[in-house]
Amino acid sequence: MKGFTYGLLFFLSICSYGQNRVNRFLKPSDTLNIPRRNAVIISEASIGAISLVGLHQLWYKDYPQSKFHTINDLDEWLQMDKMGHTYTSYQMGRMGAELLEWSGVRKKDQLIYGATLGLVFLTTVEVFDGFSKEWGFSWSDMASNAIGTGIYVGQELLWGEQRISLKYSFHRTEFAPMRPDKLGDGFMEEFLKDYNGQTYWLSFNLHSFFDDTRIPKWLNLAIGYGAEGMLTGKNETLNGQFPDQNRYRQVYLSLDLDLTKIDTKSHILRSLFSVFNTVKVPFPAMEFNGENGIKLHGIYF
């Protein structure tokens, strides 16, 4: 979860930087704009370094260090943490590439130096884990990070656009109060830590696949993955606690909006739409799970 938490903080910091400068730099450059490119590189490097130092001080300093070691945590949290790594790597890479596009950097360099931003940042976090006795370097986390980057780069190479977006949604659950130290105490912590309330989505832009139809350019079909009943990483007891976890996976089908496909000449709105397109728009949803079969949601977050 550390990768997702600090990746999100890093991602939001970059978004904040972009919005602070939006009144001066409204339109992406058609050619290489060296001052813009340098500003992006310096800002990303500075924010990344500060984030990693802060991560080390806040998360690792109170735990003993060890020799570099690996762990296998693929079977924990019904793979919800892996979904978080994939999502974070994708969104950080998308933002990195878009910032370089805004600077007029050529497409090839956008993919090499921008889209790999999430992979580089999260790899550093994994190295920190590898030297911490409390955790360890996780190859499954690394695979998830690579998948997230690959989803972005692959679509740019194949289609020249993002027809399938990775998105996130969250709702509060009854499980966080049962274990607030692990799942979060209060909305902001639960938003980042409570896997039971998180859903990760593949949002398909229908018009991009069927451009000869009258389907609106902004209408998406979304398939989500979630899980519930989790109080520990595995179905286990801790000091005699949490013996009766009823853990199960969930698959969702819903509609969504691709905000980046909304026609507007305002570069301010385009920037805002790009930021908010990281989150799935609430819509009615159909849930499939092994516990209750099919469940309908009037509005699902």
Side-chain angles (χ1 to χ4, degrees):
M1 192 58 197
K2 295 182 295 300
F4 175 75
T5 301
Y6 285 92
L8 181 60
L9 292 176
F10 179 76
F11 170 70
L12 291 176
S13 296
I14 293 178
C15 293
S16 176
Y17 169 83
Q19 290 305 310
N20 289 336
R21 297 292 188 268
V22 71
N23 288 326
R24 293 175 57 190
F25 307 116
L26 297 178
K27 184 179 179 180
S29 179
D30 294 329
T31 59
L32 177 61
N33 186 312
I34 294 178
R36 286 190 182 186
R37 183 201 61 187
N38 292 345
V40 168
I41 293 174
I42 293 171
S43 298
E44 289 181 348
S46 301
I47 293 171
I50 292 171
S51 299
L52 291 171
V53 171
L55 168 62
H56 191 273
Q57 289 297 311
L58 294 174
W59 204 292
Y60 296 98
K61 71 174 183 177
D62 294 329
Y63 296 95
Q65 296 292 293
S66 69
K67 292 183 179 180
F68 186 83
H69 64 286
T70 63
I71 60 172
N72 182 5
D73 60 351
L74 182 59
D75 58 347
E76 293 187 3
W77 301 109
L78 296 179
Q79 292 77 53
M80 286 298 292
D81 58 327
K82 309 310 172 194
M83 296 295 172
H85 277 268
T86 301
Y87 168 84
T88 303
S89 182
Y90 172 86
Q91 292 295 354
M92 291 179 68
R94 182 181 70 88
M95 182 58 66
E98 288 183 358
L99 285 172
L100 289 181
E101 179 185 17
W102 168 78
S103 306
V105 174
R106 61 178 182 169
K107 190 72 172 181
K108 179 181 178 180
D109 290 338
Q110 291 174 29
L111 297 182
I112 294 175
Y113 301 109
T116 56
L117 179 66
L119 182 61
V120 172
F121 181 83
L122 294 175
T123 297
T124 306
V125 174
E126 284 302 319
V127 172
F128 283 175
D129 281 353
F131 286 103
S132 174
K133 191 173 182 180
E134 182 74 12
W135 295 284
F137 184 96
S138 169
W139 284 110
S140 56
D141 284 354
M142 280 300 303
S144 299
N145 300 337
I147 289 171
T149 300
I151 290 174
Y152 180 85
V153 173
Q155 292 187 81
E156 290 297 319
L157 294 175
L158 182 61
W159 298 313
E161 62 177 351
Q162 295 298 295
R163 297 186 179 185
I164 306 171
S165 301
L166 269 64
K167 296 194 177 187
Y168 175 82
S169 66
F170 174 78
H171 61 273
R172 302 188 77 176
T173 72
E174 62 183 306
F175 302 102
M178 299 180 188
R179 200 181 177 197
D181 60 318
K182 192 69 174 179
L183 302 179
D185 185 6
F187 178 81
M188 288 306 299
E189 287 191 9
E190 294 170 25
F191 182 84
L192 298 172
K193 293 183 176 182
D194 185 7
Y195 293 119
N196 300 282
Q198 299 174 4
T199 307
Y200 293 96
W201 301 84
L202 287 174
S203 187
F204 297 80
N205 183 254
L206 298 175
H207 188 271
S208 295
F209 289 101
F210 307 103
D211 58 359
D212 57 345
T213 67
R214 295 185 178 181
I215 298 175
K217 293 181 179 180
W218 39 260
L219 183 62
N220 282 21
L221 179 67
I223 300 174
Y225 174 76
E228 275 197 9
M230 301 175 293
L231 294 171
T232 58
K234 301 178 182 180
N235 195 6
E236 59 188 342
T237 60
L238 296 177
N239 299 322
Q241 301 183 67
F242 320 123
D244 300 317
Q245 298 182 54
N246 185 23
R247 306 154 66 91
Y248 59 92
R249 306 174 191 274
Q250 302 156 310
V251 176
Y252 298 90
L253 184 64
S254 182
L255 294 176
D256 186 32
L257 302 181
D258 187 339
L259 301 179
T260 66
K261 302 295 185 182
I262 297 176
D263 288 332
T264 177
K265 295 181 179 180
S266 170
H267 292 286
I268 295 177
L269 287 179
R270 288 182 182 179
S271 298
L272 290 173
F273 289 159
S274 178
V275 171
F276 287 111
N277 208 51
T278 61
V279 179
K280 184 190 174 300
V281 177
F283 263 105
M286 182 178 296
E287 173 187 340
F288 307 87
N289 65 70
E291 179 69 15
N292 304 311
I294 298 177
K295 183 178 179 180
L296 300 178
H297 300 267
I299 293 291
Y300 184 79
F301 290 86

